[in-house]
């Protein structure tokens, strides 16, 4: 049995909130730089270069990459042999978010009610998911998810007869409908199978995957490549100004489903893909 004090979770969450909002991760920066070098449309190449320059300004100044500093999503892989000591996980996660956002340089974007719209003032609550895993690991992943890309995400309950072609068509239509509103070039997370809410969670889980990492199943990895080519053929380009680079990568996750169902969720993320990880 391994003991972990939950106050260390607060420290990790606060640190990651600050880090992901103030710099692109090195893998994302490399993918953007490669896209810039391979882009033939001058205006698209200029936008990609500006995104990279914005990252340098944020690093030097300590200011956020974007004025939208996101909803905080936290996923924890919790080993069954871990014993947590202290306040409940949801409380300590929110304490870390509150600590980071009350420094004054990160915008508080959360409202307590979707209907009455009163800002909580500290960007809480975060949204926490937990998977129980064997062993004594405690792995925390954090994402600052912008509202623009989240708003352009979508879900459909397709007919099984729609098949693979229907899934591809729905993903492409979602990116096409999003146009410039999700701050392309985007990352596309796709969840296929399960139930309505399972498909949505799979799509979000896909976004948490390491940048550009293909699915371990060869058929799903092939689907990711096919989707990447199809959505980039739309020609939307960086910030919707045309070019080849509409999507940086596509990540697909899948689950079993009922014989009568084919749920598909598409969750978009902007080019910054602000994700950090910590092992406690």
């Amino acid at each position: 049995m391994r003991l972990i004090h939950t106050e260390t979770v607060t420290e990790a969450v606060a640190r990651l909130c600050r880090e992901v909002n103030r710099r692109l991760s090195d893998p994302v920066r490399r993918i953007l730089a490669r896209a810039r070098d391979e882009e033939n449309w001058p205006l698209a190449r200029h936008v990609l270069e500006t995104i990279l320059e914005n990252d340098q300004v944020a690093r030097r100044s300590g200011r956020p990459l974007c004025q939208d500093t996101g909803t905080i999503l936290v996923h924890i892989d919790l080993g069954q042999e871990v014993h947590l000591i202290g306040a409940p996980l949801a409380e300590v996660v929110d304490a870390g978010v509150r600590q980071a956002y009350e420094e004054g340089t990160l915008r508080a974007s959360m409202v307590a009610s979707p209907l009455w719209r009163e800002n909580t003032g500290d960007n809480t609550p975060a949204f926490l998911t937990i998977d129980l895993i064997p062993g004594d690991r405690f792995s925390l992943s954090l994402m600052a998810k912008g509202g623009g890309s989240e708003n352009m995400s979508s879900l459909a309950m397709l007919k099984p007869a729609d098949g693979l072609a229907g899934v591809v068509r729905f993903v492409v239509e979602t990116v096409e409908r999003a146009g410039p509103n999700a701050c392309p070039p985007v990352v596309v997370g796709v969840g296929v199978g399960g139930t309505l809410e399972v498909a949505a969670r799979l799509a979000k889980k896909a976004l948490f995957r390491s940048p550009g990492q293909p699915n371990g199943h060869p058929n799903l990895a092939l689907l990711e490549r096919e989707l990447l080519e199809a959505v980039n053929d739309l020609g939307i380009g960086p910030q919707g100004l045309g070019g080849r680079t509409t999507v940086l990568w596509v990540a697909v996750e899948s689950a079993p489903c009922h014989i009568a169902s084919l749920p598909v969720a598409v969750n978009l993320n902007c080019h910054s893909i602000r994700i950090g990880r910590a092992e406690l």
Side-chain angles (χ1 to χ4, degrees), residues 21-209:
N21 272 299
R22 292 173 178 157
R23 59 182 297 168
L24 295 174
S25 71
D26 291 338
V28 170
R29 186 173 175 84
R30 286 194 293 269
I31 290 171
L32 283 164
R34 184 170 68 245
R36 174 203 58 195
D37 295 343
E38 295 175 353
E39 180 59 68
N40 293 323
W41 178 239
L43 186 54
R45 192 164 57 246
H46 173 72
V47 171
L48 292 167
E49 181 61 34
T50 301
I51 290 171
L52 292 166
E53 290 176 2
N54 181 71
D55 173 53
Q56 291 297 332
V57 172
R59 289 171 185 246
R60 289 195 303 267
S61 66
R63 292 185 173 89
L65 290 159
C66 178
Q67 52 82 27
D68 183 350
T69 52
T71 298
I72 296 300
L73 311 173
V74 173
H75 179 77
I76 294 173
D77 285 330
L78 178 63
Q80 294 180 130
E81 297 175 25
V82 172
H83 179 64
L84 299 174
I85 302 171
L89 271 178
E91 290 184 16
V92 295
V93 166
D94 278 353
V97 174
R98 186 175 299 112
Q99 183 184 122
Y101 279 76
E102 286 184 344
E103 291 176 348
T105 58
L106 298 177
R107 189 185 79 182
S109 301
M110 296 299 292
V111 293
S113 165
L115 300 178
W116 289 277
R117 317 300 295 182
E118 181 180 357
N119 198 298
T120 63
D122 56 14
N123 217 52
T124 64
F127 293 105
L128 172 65
T129 57
I130 302 171
D131 282 342
L132 287 175
I133 60 173
D136 64 356
R137 285 178 53 230
F138 187 108
S139 301
L140 186 152
S141 299
L142 180 146
M143 179 189 299
K145 185 69 165 63
S149 59
E150 189 72 8
N151 289 347
M152 302 313 299
S153 302
S154 59
L155 184 147
M157 304 300 289
L158 301 182
K159 300 185 295 293
D162 291 327
L164 183 60
V167 172
V168 172
R169 183 167 57 251
F170 179 67
V171 174
V172 173
E173 288 174 352
T174 297
V175 178
E176 185 173 28
R177 184 169 59 252
N181 295 322
C183 286
V186 296
V187 178
V188 180
V190 181
V192 184
T195 59
L196 180 142
E197 76 279 5
V198 170
R201 185 178 176 191
L202 287 171
K204 192 78 75 181
K205 178 183 178 182
L207 291 180
F208 270 103
R209 197 190 301 166

Side-chain angles (χ1 to χ4, degrees), residues 7-23 72 92-93 95-101 103 106 140-142 275-280:
E7 63 187 28
T8 60
V9 176
T10 296
E11 297 166 4
V13 168
R15 174 176 58 82
L16 291 174
C17 284
R18 290 189 290 264
E19 288 179 0
V20 302
N21 272 299
R22 292 173 178 157
R23 59 182 297 168
I72 296 300
V92 295
V93 166
V97 174
R98 186 175 299 112
Q99 183 184 122
Y101 279 76
E103 291 176 348
L106 298 177
L140 186 152
S141 299
L142 180 146
I275 297 174
R277 308 183 199 281
E279 296 280 340
L280 302 184

